[in-house]
Amino acid sequence: MAFCRYLTWSSVVSAVLAAPPLLNQAQAGGTQRPVGTSFGVPGSSSKFDYVIIGGGTAGLTVAERLSEDPTISVAVIEAGGFYELDNGNVSQIPAFYAKNFNQTAAPETIQPLIDWEYIIEPQVGLANRRFHYSQGKTLGGSSGRNSNIFTRGTKGYYQRWADLVGDPSWAWDNILPYFKKSVDFTPPDTAKMGVDANISYDPAAYGAGGPLHVAYSNYYQPMNPGLIKGFEALNFSYQPGFSSGRMDGYGYLAVTIDPKTQIKDSSETAFLSGAFNATNFRVYKNTIAQKISVPRDHGDRRSGRNSRSLTRSPQMLMVSGIGPRDILAQHNIPVIVDRQVGQNWQDHCAFEFQYKMNVEGNAALEGDKQFLYQATEDFLQTQTGPLTNWGGDILGFEKLPSPYREALNQSALTELAELPDDQPEVEWLIASHGPQMATSSYVTFTPAILAVTSKGTIGLTSANAADNPIIDPKTFSSPTEQALGIQIYKRLQEFVNATGLTTGPELKIGPRGSDADILAGMKQTGLPWYHGVASCPMGKESDPNAVVDGKGRVFGTKGLRVVDASVIPLLAPGHSMAPVYMVAEKLADAIKKGL
Ligand SMILES: Cc1cc2nc3c(=O)[nH]c(=O)nc-3n(C[C@H](O)[C@H](O)[C@H](O)COP(=O)(O)OP(=O)(O)OC[C@H]3O[C@@H](n4cnc5c(N)ncnc54)[C@H](O)[C@@H]3O)c2cc1C
Ligand SMILES: *[C@@H]1O[C@H](CO)[C@@H](O)[C@H](O)[C@H]1NC(C)=O
Ligand SMILES: *[C@@H]1O[C@H](CO)[C@@H](O)[C@H](O)[C@H]1NC(C)=O
Ligand SMILES: *[C@@H]1O[C@H](CO)[C@@H](O)[C@H](O)[C@H]1NC(C)=O
Ligand SMILES: *[C@@H]1O[C@H](CO)[C@@H](O)[C@H](O)[C@H]1NC(C)=O
Ligand SMILES: *[C@@H]1O[C@H](CO)[C@@H](O)[C@H](O)[C@H]1NC(C)=O
Ligand SMILES: *[C@@H]1O[C@H](CO)[C@@H](O)[C@H](O)[C@H]1NC(C)=O
Ligand SMILES: *[C@@H]1O[C@H](CO)[C@@H](O)[C@H](O)[C@H]1NC(C)=O
């Protein structure tokens, strides 16, 4: 099946590259094979058993797993190129994450070669502000654009997912092997950190020998002892990491970086080089997929391999005729399957509070030339120092405790009671970030609401896949989230004070009076968090909101699956990358087994 008929080449065609080492790595055994063999070029039509639209976090994971079978041919269509080449060293060096994007969409920080430049609708829950919604447009996708934080969610959360889909294979015990399959875990190197950091972790939760490094930065943020003091003063218990299905308490963060080089790992570094080994594998980079020729389901969904494809994104489904009838009609797209694509999208809301800090941190990398010079030397010569660290090590999770909980009204409490007992409502993330061009130390406390009750939408501006869709997460719009937000602000005062790390008042929103005043301040400092899921959620066929089944198969079609963050039916507590890798491993396995 020649999906390639529907492809057009994006105007950005990458320049001829002077063969940096990255591009010389592809060799199969002792036999030489030029790396270009793995890339598609314009002008020729081709057939593949599987065409994967989007070489992102899930896409490259699935591509590598499928291409392990030498009888299967696989193509990946990716709109971007290599972030290592298109974004200097900014995407590779963990601390430069802070430069990676800017919610106010300053042109110098968007980096159009590796980003979709989405500007979202004015957010009613956030004082009608608009944001740059960063999404990776590069091999690796958003795993090539993110801050490498690795958390998995809780057992109760996955049980709820399994119950919703009516498929026990999504329960914790059944997905843990897929979580482990991706991972090669390396314990912290406290000698390189230069402190006796006493970092606990749960080795049983991780795997060894997988393609993706999960490790620790060789820098111990000097603010960590203060944060530990703060969390203990607030009665948080200690968790040995956040990969064992429990998240209540504070603990030390694992990240997806290469422990030796301290450079970012992504699905591109982890999985693409493996796929290059396969003879039946090809990447079409700098290529935008326009449309899928959707095979209808006539009741024989398990037909031949050739009819299967994978895709991402509600937009791709809608331009191809799968989506809400009214949206498709507005753009004269013939309706093939009428389902609620793009209607149940969810993202977290995070709030940023900045203070001056009395110990060293990453902020000074921005404007203190001597500090940056030393950090660069440390990174290049010993793979240590602040450049190895995205900005934080220690974070905490909780259900909002007493006395703040008592201040929530009954409707908020009723809605929160739907969450599993072990699922936290609030995350406390802290980074030693500051304002642009800072020359001294700052700390940014970033509490986030994990009990998301707002629902967002993704719509179309046109029937052309190259036009950005209409993105409206409706962040912080629900009364329950707003009620939580007010109490989070009050708890923040207690936490910040207990750390003893700050000097002076909060920089942006300052002291607040009444609850209405606090809420207005929260609307000014909140932002969507780039953890979007559930725009094509999996579920039972009878569920009007569900778009795919528990194997990622799009209802009403055959041979078409969605495998990425958009099929995750409920937003995980914490960060979404690790769940996406798990979904990709699990569904790639299902495809290989003919399920
Ligand atoms: C700035 C930022 C920070 C984040 N921080 C973290 C973090 O620290 N920890 C964490 O766990 N999660 C984090 N996340 C979230 C996490 O990275 C994502 O949930 C995850 O990577 C999504 O994976 P995906 O496969 O669904 O999509 P992506 O990885 O985004 O992949 C989609 C791919 O499809 C391509 N594509 C799309 N449309 C087309 C088309 N028509 N034709 C061709 N190609 C196309 C895109 O270019 C992209 O490469 C962050 C995300 C962002 C953006
Ligand atoms: C590619 O194949 C060679 C030979 O089989 C093997 O040694 C190498 O580890 C493979 N590389 C990856 C990244 O899988
Ligand atoms: C984002 O860009 C704007 C405009 O250039 C700037 O004022 C702001 O400080 C930037 N924010 C961050 C976090 O860098
Ligand atoms: C290390 O941390 C663990 C967990 O908090 C604690 O039980 C243990 O006593 C600590 N060990 C040392 C040597 O500080
Ligand atoms: C601290 O936590 C313990 C155990 O979870 C609980 O019994 C106690 O009441 C808490 N104390 C406060 C002050 O919240
Ligand atoms: C990153 O790239 C910039 C621009 O080329 C360079 O000045 C800087 O030294 C590099 N940093 C590191 C740590 O390699
Ligand atoms: C509960 O509190 C929230 C936030 O203050 C408010 O928006 C909502 O209307 C309240 N609900 C009821 C039923 O009082
Ligand atoms: C701030 O912290 C100090 C101790 O560090 C404590 O004595 C004081 O009560 C705290 N204040 C508030 C408002 O929590």
Side-chain angles (χ1 to χ4, degrees):
M1 139 151 339
F3 283 128
C4 292
R5 272 198 317 250
Y6 299 99
L7 306 178
T8 60
W9 290 83
S10 73
S11 55
V12 187
V13 175
S14 70
V16 177
L17 300 161
L22 168 84
L23 297 184
N24 280 335
Q25 282 165 4
Q27 296 196 346
T31 317
Q32 175 164 320
R33 196 157 63 93
V35 69
T37 306
S38 302
F39 289 87
V41 292
S44 65
S45 189
S46 297
K47 289 186 179 191
F48 298 90
D49 296 326
Y50 294 92
V51 176
I52 298 175
I53 300 175
T57 314
L60 292 182
T61 305
V62 173
E64 198 283 338
R65 293 307 185 196
L66 293 183
S67 67
E68 283 171 0
D69 178 345
T71 71
I72 293 178
S73 63
V74 177
V76 170
I77 316 292
E78 170 53 49
F82 285 91
Y83 61 81
E84 295 92 335
L85 310 179
D86 292 338
N87 199 29
N89 58 26
V90 172
S91 304
Q92 293 189 283
I93 296 175
F96 290 163
Y97 166 75
K99 290 185 195 291
N100 230 353
F101 64 97
N102 178 329
Q103 290 97 6
T104 59
E108 67 276 18
T109 60
I110 277 195
Q111 302 302 354
L113 291 186
I114 58 156
D115 190 279
W116 284 91
E117 303 182 76
Y118 292 144
I119 306 297
I120 63 176
E121 297 301 291
Q123 292 302 288
V124 286
L126 299 172
N128 284 318
R129 289 176 301 144
R130 300 187 83 145
F131 298 83
H132 168 217
Y133 196 88
S134 181
Q135 291 285 282
K137 182 185 188 176
T138 181
L139 289 160
S142 296
S143 73
R145 192 93 173 99
N146 69 18
S147 54
N148 310 320
I149 294 173
F150 191 84
T151 66
R152 286 175 175 168
T154 65
K155 291 179 184 176
Y157 159 74
Y158 287 103
Q159 189 58 51
R160 192 168 172 231
W161 174 340
D163 293 344
L164 185 74
V165 178
D167 180 349
S169 75
W170 292 100
W172 175 261
D173 289 344
N174 300 326
I175 56 168
L176 186 57
Y178 293 107
F179 268 127
K180 288 182 169 180
K181 189 175 179 188
S182 298
V183 171
D184 189 40
F185 178 72
T186 307
D189 185 341
T190 46
K192 287 227 163 186
M193 285 181 192
V195 287
D196 185 11
N198 187 26
I199 297 162
S200 315
Y201 53 89
D202 176 4
Y206 296 105
L212 180 72
H213 292 112
V214 174
Y216 297 84
S217 129
N218 287 338
Y219 179 69
Y220 186 80
Q221 290 281 347
M223 68 181 173
N224 289 343
L227 296 179
I228 292 171
K229 218 171 96 198
F231 278 120
E232 300 214 319
L234 267 66
N235 208 22
F236 277 66
S237 58
Y238 181 80
Q239 275 296 333
F242 302 101
S243 291
S244 311
R246 279 191 63 173
M247 295 178 95
D248 53 313
Y250 79 93
Y252 208 92
L253 203 56
V255 286
T256 47
I257 62 174
D258 182 321
K260 285 203 194 72
T261 61
Q262 297 282 297
I263 285 175
K264 169 190 259 307
D265 240 9
S266 65
S267 66
E268 181 258 295
T269 60
F271 286 95
L272 185 58
S273 53
F276 278 166
N277 261 356
T279 46
N280 290 331
F281 176 76
R282 209 172 300 162
V283 177
Y284 293 81
K285 68 191 260 295
N286 302 117
T287 308
I288 291 185
Q290 289 285 22
K291 191 172 182 286
I292 302 163
S293 165
V294 177
R296 285 175 200 259
D297 179 19
H298 298 294
D300 58 340
R301 194 179 290 156
R302 287 196 193 196
S303 62
R305 175 194 283 175
N306 287 349
S307 61
R308 290 219 190 87
S309 169
L310 294 118
T311 184
R312 84 171 284 279
S313 106
Q315 182 189 16
M316 181 56 49
L317 291 188
M318 287 191 276
V319 299
S320 304
I322 301 167
R325 185 173 294 279
D326 54 334
I327 296 184
L328 270 46
Q330 279 164 27
H331 300 284
N332 297 319
I333 301 167
V335 180
I336 295 173
V337 181
D338 180 5
R339 301 234 37 137
Q340 291 299 302
V341 174
Q343 305 308 298
N344 291 284
W345 192 47
Q346 290 202 313
D347 192 3
H348 292 131
C349 180
F351 306 89
E352 291 186 339
F353 300 93
Q354 274 174 9
Y355 302 80
K356 282 199 149 224
M357 181 165 70
N358 55 20
V359 294
E360 179 187 278
N362 282 26
L365 292 168
E366 278 272 327
D368 181 337
K369 289 203 170 64
Q370 181 54 37
F371 187 64
L372 176 62
Y373 174 80
Q374 188 56 49
T376 302
E377 291 296 297
D378 291 346
F379 185 87
L380 295 177
Q381 284 164 30
T382 53
Q383 297 75 53
T384 62
L387 286 184
T388 70
N389 193 294
W390 78 273
D393 298 323
I394 289 175
L395 76 172
F397 296 89
E398 65 176 350
K399 285 217 194 265
L400 188 71
S402 185
Y404 308 98
R405 193 164 204 87
E406 282 75 55
L408 300 176
N409 61 27
Q410 194 52 49
S411 65
L413 289 170
T414 305
E415 220 169 0
L416 293 174
E418 286 170 27
L419 289 183
D421 289 346
D422 69 359
Q423 181 165 337
E425 295 158 351
V426 187
E427 172 170 344
W428 294 92
L429 185 69
I430 306 100
S432 59
H433 291 155
Q436 232 171 9
M437 300 318 287
T439 51
S440 59
S441 262
Y442 290 87
V443 56
T444 303
F445 289 82
T446 308
I449 295 178
L450 304 183
V452 177
T453 53
S454 309
K455 279 195 173 178
T457 56
I458 294 178
L460 295 179
T461 45
S462 83
N464 185 347
D467 291 341
N468 283 347
I470 302 169
I471 300 179
D472 186 0
K474 300 197 169 65
T475 304
F476 199 49
S477 63
S478 89
T480 295
E481 286 187 54
Q482 294 185 353
L484 272 174
I486 293 165
Q487 301 310 317
I488 285 172
Y489 184 81
K490 295 179 182 175
R491 186 149 170 81
L492 172 81
Q493 311 310 311
E494 191 191 5
F495 182 35
V496 169
N497 178 51
T499 64
L501 287 169
T502 60
T503 61
E506 204 275 325
L507 298 185
K508 284 181 296 190
I509 79 163
R512 288 275 150 179
S514 67
D515 282 5
D517 236 16
I518 294 175
L519 183 57
M522 295 303 269
K523 289 178 175 180
Q524 287 294 345
T525 188
L527 44 105
W529 224 18
Y530 320 108
H531 293 162
V533 300
S535 52
C536 313
M538 65 171 68
K540 297 173 184 156
E541 191 156 12
S542 57
D543 175 351
N545 290 326
V547 174
V548 305
D549 70 7
K551 307 266 185 318
R553 296 177 297 204
V554 180
F555 290 124
T557 71
K558 66 176 180 184
L560 178 63
R561 302 196 199 218
V562 181
V563 183
D564 65 11
S566 71
V567 301
I568 294 177
L570 302 161
L571 193 48
H575 300 251
S576 50
M577 169 176 61
V580 171
Y581 277 120
M582 178 278 289
V583 166
E585 290 279 19
K586 186 172 187 308
L587 294 183
D589 198 40
I591 293 166
K592 286 167 91 172
K593 289 178 174 152
L595 298 173

